[in-house]
Amino acid sequence: MIVRMAKVRVLGPRARLPDTIRVVQDVGVLHLATPPEGPLLLHFPLPPSEARRRVQLNRILEDIERTLSKLESPGTSGPTVTVSTKDLANWARLANRIRRKVDGLEERTTALEEERALLARYGGFFRAFETLLRTRGVTPGASAFHVVLRADQAATLPRLQEALRQVLGDASASFTQKLPGGEVALLLLVPGATAQKVDQLLAQTGVQEIPVPTRYGASMLEAIPKMRERETALPRELEALQREYSDLARRYGPELVRARSGIRDRLLQLDALPLSGVTPHAFVIEGWLPTSAETRLANTLDRSFGGEVVVETIGSEHWKAEEAPVVLRNPRLFRPFEMLTRLVPLPRYGTLDPTPFVAVFFPMFFGLMLGDAGYGAVLAALAALLHRRSRPGSNRRSISEVAGASALFSIIFGILFGEYFGDLGRRWLGIQPLWLNREEAIIPFLALALALGLVHITLGLVLGALSARDNPRLALGRGMSAVMILLILFAILAAVEVLPRRLLSPAVIALLVSFPVLIVVEGLLAPIELLSTIGHILSYARIMALGTASVMLAIVANQMAGAMGSVVVGVLFALLFHLVNFGLAIFSPTIHALRLHFVEFFGTFYSPGGVRYQPLGHWSHDAGRTA
């Protein structure tokens, strides 16, 4: 449901405005609004000193956030603090000093990681050349070329060696060693005077020499020992840097977290000041809050200022409902489904909260489409695991509870349909459907899906008529649409003699009478909208289509176990097929159940455009907003 809101006005001496803002922030229930301007009432101008303070605070906050992110400090909010000039000076120096230290550590860590990546990339090549160099040695005055041929270049090796013999005769020597990745390490030893010719020859054949990193020496023999030494030293140096990070986080993290909370609270106060109206001697603050919190705010201000600051209620006739912020508050059973409602814009204040209806119909539609007790049990286990690993109030907890409700309906309908991982229950245990066999009863299943669509859409039209009480024409139009949908149903059922045939004529006459009334109420587009509503009802056939597809895929998976020749291979293929079907059976019902709500059902009554309730409160990192 949408919480009932009240609009209030806070008045007091102008000198008390900053203190009043702080008390309102402590209470944390008032959603601030811009007060009206008048000849004597002006918006509070932020003094230049406070504007400079805001710039300073944002600069300090940037240093703190950057430092905490690199220190991986806990993301909890610090205690509520009052920010003094001395605190700001201390925090500015601390944040700047720790940021420089962290930047230095980051630069050193990046350099070491890059060096480790370089050694890992070339380590295999250099070890191969080390073996060749130690085995063959290098003649004084000779030049050594270190070449690695890719696996697809291996065929060029004989041609390269032949070209070297033609250019250098017997003055060159080449040695090869195969690498684990399929490459070939090639060591060329040539007289120093011919090195330039060899360079040109390698360039012509498209073969590149492996360069020796300059930081380790000029030659491979000189570089390899240093590289081996660095490979041993790098882990120790990285561990030492990590200890320095941890030490900084332990020593300064709590104070930085405290500073972040204090500065963000002060920025919220500065942002709230321009939302105040002032005269030369008084101030006015307007805003919305839940009616249940009105007395608490008034009493807190009265205690804090001894009656100097008062709260008065603004009558509902002086403000528009669409301006009021929206707070959704539902019973514990329905609360997790608010997460689904928030996927669309909030409903306008004064309209209906669709959460209770989503909580009833979404798991039901999901269960009808999945409809397998085995799959439902697996989903319930996954939901229980996610519930255990999530925090109360988090999105993960809500997802786990929505999944748990959907799993429950899947198990219930799976028992009614006699489905346990497809037809395994019927094959192994002889379990028969208690209600419908979805493998065969396609028409009854389709009739069930359309009946649910009729109930869902008609309920939406009735809700639309009730929620449009301030617009009689719209309310009458939606009510007439609901009546005509029911009359069409009665006429069809009477025509096929599900209902007594004598009801056919009265239903048709009532339709003929209602149709012109609907056109008068809703205009010439009423027939198109009525046909669109009927189309929305037919759209619920997707419940049958997805449910039937799910059970048929499960049956195919079971049949594969005996059709592969090998029992082991068949079971593995069946498990894989069941896994794929389970993934589809989770994803598709979720998407289509949401679509049936957001497009078909919400289109009959939902009024989006609500303003999010954001009271002035203390900043909270966990919630990502004021709290």
Side-chain angles (χ1 to χ4, degrees):
M1 61 174 289
I2 297 177
V3 174
R4 185 180 176 187
M5 305 294 286
K7 190 173 185 181
V8 298
R9 182 179 292 123
V10 181
L11 306 100
R14 180 167 177 167
R16 289 291 199 176
L17 176 58
D19 294 331
T20 302
I21 292 290
R22 283 193 289 270
V23 174
V24 169
Q25 186 179 40
D26 289 338
V27 180
V29 295
L30 187 63
H31 177 105
L32 298 180
T34 304
E37 281 193 88
L40 298 178
L41 185 66
L42 302 175
H43 288 172
F44 180 82
L46 194 65
S49 60
E50 295 294 352
R52 290 193 298 272
R53 179 68 55 83
R54 176 188 285 173
V55 173
Q56 180 187 16
L57 289 173
N58 278 310
R59 189 181 301 118
I60 299 171
L61 183 63
E62 183 180 354
D63 282 347
I64 292 174
E65 292 283 15
R66 182 177 173 184
T67 302
L68 287 175
S69 66
K70 292 177 180 178
L71 291 179
E72 299 180 357
S73 185
T76 56
S77 300
T80 302
V81 294
T82 301
V83 181
S84 65
T85 304
K86 182 178 179 181
D87 288 330
L88 286 178
N90 291 335
W91 289 340
R93 288 192 295 269
L94 177 66
N96 186 265
R97 179 161 53 89
I98 302 305
R99 180 184 58 79
R100 290 200 306 270
K101 287 185 177 181
V102 170
D103 287 346
L105 289 175
E106 186 178 37
E107 290 178 4
R108 291 160 58 193
T109 301
T110 301
L112 292 178
E113 291 288 358
E114 290 176 353
E115 184 179 6
R116 183 162 65 175
L118 176 68
L119 293 176
R121 181 180 179 185
Y122 291 104
F125 300 152
F126 293 144
R127 278 189 286 273
F129 287 120
E130 180 183 24
T131 302
L132 291 174
L133 288 168
R134 285 179 177 175
T135 302
R136 307 300 177 182
V138 177
T139 305
S143 295
F145 289 84
H146 314 92
V147 176
V148 172
L149 300 175
R150 300 191 308 270
D152 59 341
Q153 294 178 321
T156 64
L157 179 58
R159 294 197 299 271
L160 177 61
Q161 291 173 331
E162 179 62 27
L164 286 170
R165 280 194 295 271
Q166 292 177 2
V167 173
L168 305 176
D170 296 330
S172 67
S174 62
F175 310 98
T176 61
Q177 180 171 331
K178 193 161 186 178
L179 300 176
E183 302 95 338
V184 175
L186 172 64
L187 173 64
L188 296 177
L189 300 177
V190 300
T194 62
Q196 186 174 0
K197 292 182 179 180
V198 176
D199 274 331
Q200 294 174 353
L201 180 61
L202 292 177
Q204 291 172 3
T205 56
V207 176
Q208 293 183 348
E209 184 183 10
I210 295 294
V212 178
T214 56
R215 70 177 72 177
Y216 302 114
S219 66
M220 186 71 73
L221 281 177
E222 183 182 350
I224 287 176
K226 294 181 180 179
M227 295 175 70
R228 287 194 174 279
E229 181 182 346
R230 293 300 296 157
E231 280 182 332
T232 304
L234 279 175
R236 294 196 301 269
E237 293 180 15
L238 287 169
E239 288 177 5
L241 289 178
Q242 190 58 48
R243 285 194 297 271
E244 290 189 50
Y245 272 114
S246 301
D247 184 60
L248 287 176
R250 178 181 55 80
R251 294 175 58 190
Y252 302 107
E255 182 63 18
L256 290 174
V257 169
R258 178 175 175 271
R260 177 178 60 184
S261 297
I263 291 173
R264 284 195 175 273
D265 279 356
R266 183 70 180 115
L267 286 172
L268 289 172
Q269 294 169 15
L270 292 175
D271 291 339
L273 284 173
L275 295 177
S276 308
V278 293
T279 69
H281 303 290
F283 75 84
V284 176
I285 299 173
E286 291 186 358
W288 284 273
L289 74 171
T291 54
S292 59
E294 188 175 356
T295 302
R296 178 156 61 96
L297 176 63
N299 291 340
T300 303
L301 290 171
D302 186 61
R303 287 193 305 270
S304 300
F305 300 103
E308 284 188 285
V309 177
V310 297
V311 178
E312 66 175 21
T313 303
I314 301 175
S316 58
E317 66 274 9
H318 297 295
W319 50 274
K320 298 179 181 179
E322 57 266 23
E323 297 175 353
V326 174
V327 182
L328 302 182
R329 186 172 298 161
N330 288 282
R332 177 67 185 84
L333 187 64
F334 296 159
R335 202 170 302 150
F337 292 88
E338 291 179 5
M339 178 193 65
L340 301 180
T341 304
R342 293 194 187 98
L343 295 176
V344 295
L346 284 171
R348 287 188 300 107
Y349 182 79
T351 61
L352 289 174
D353 175 15
T355 303
F357 306 102
V358 175
V360 171
F361 285 99
F362 178 85
M364 182 189 304
F365 292 165
F366 186 99
L368 275 170
M369 285 184 269
L370 184 56
D372 189 293
Y375 288 162
V378 175
L379 178 59
L382 294 176
L385 180 62
L386 181 60
H387 188 276
R388 179 177 296 179
R389 295 186 176 182
S390 61
R391 294 180 292 104
S394 65
N395 285 335
R396 286 188 176 186
R397 178 61 59 89
S398 297
I399 292 172
S400 70
E401 292 174 348
V402 171
S406 302
L408 176 62
F409 274 88
S410 300
I411 293 172
I412 292 172
F413 283 115
I415 294 173
L416 294 176
F417 298 152
E419 295 179 22
Y420 301 82
F421 297 107
D423 60 350
L424 280 185
R426 191 161 60 252
R427 285 187 177 192
W428 291 356
L429 303 175
I431 300 175
Q432 298 299 318
L434 301 179
W435 183 24
L436 287 178
N437 183 351
R438 293 197 298 177
E439 184 181 356
E440 300 174 354
I442 296 178
I443 299 302
F445 193 21
L446 175 62
L448 172 63
L450 294 179
L452 280 174
L454 177 68
V455 171
H456 208 210
I457 296 298
T458 304
L459 173 61
L461 291 171
V462 172
L463 293 175
L466 294 176
S467 62
R469 291 188 299 270
D470 56 341
N471 189 340
R473 192 181 187 89
L474 179 61
L476 180 59
R478 289 181 175 176
M480 288 297 299
S481 297
V483 170
M484 292 192 68
I485 292 294
L486 293 176
L487 289 174
I488 292 172
L489 174 65
F490 289 151
I492 293 174
L493 294 179
V496 298
E497 298 185 352
V498 174
L499 293 177
R501 193 170 182 80
R502 62 178 179 271
L503 295 178
L504 177 60
S505 295
V508 172
I509 293 172
L511 276 171
L512 295 176
V513 172
S514 302
F515 191 70
V517 175
L518 183 64
I519 294 178
V520 171
V521 173
E522 293 198 335
L524 295 177
L525 293 178
I528 298 176
E529 292 182 0
L530 181 63
L531 289 175
S532 176
T533 302
I534 295 173
H536 287 165
I537 294 174
L538 296 177
S539 180
Y540 284 73
R542 70 185 67 237
I543 294 176
M544 178 276 297
L546 290 171
T548 303
S550 177
V551 65
M552 296 308 296
L553 285 174
I555 291 174
V556 169
N558 295 333
Q559 292 175 347
M560 291 180 67
M564 303 301 295
S566 169
V567 174
V568 175
V569 174
V571 169
L572 290 177
F573 266 89
L575 289 175
L576 178 61
F577 214 84
H578 271 298
L579 181 62
V580 173
N581 188 34
F582 178 73
L584 293 174
I586 298 301
F587 178 77
S588 295
T590 300
I591 296 299
H592 288 281
L594 288 175
R595 186 194 187 281
L596 290 175
H597 281 84
F598 295 162
V599 178
E600 280 79 6
F601 183 55
F602 282 16
T604 57
F605 74 95
Y606 191 68
S607 298
V611 179
R612 183 185 176 192
Y613 175 61
Q614 292 182 300
L616 174 63
H618 293 291
W619 182 82
S620 168
H621 180 276
D622 293 332
R625 57 178 176 81
T626 57

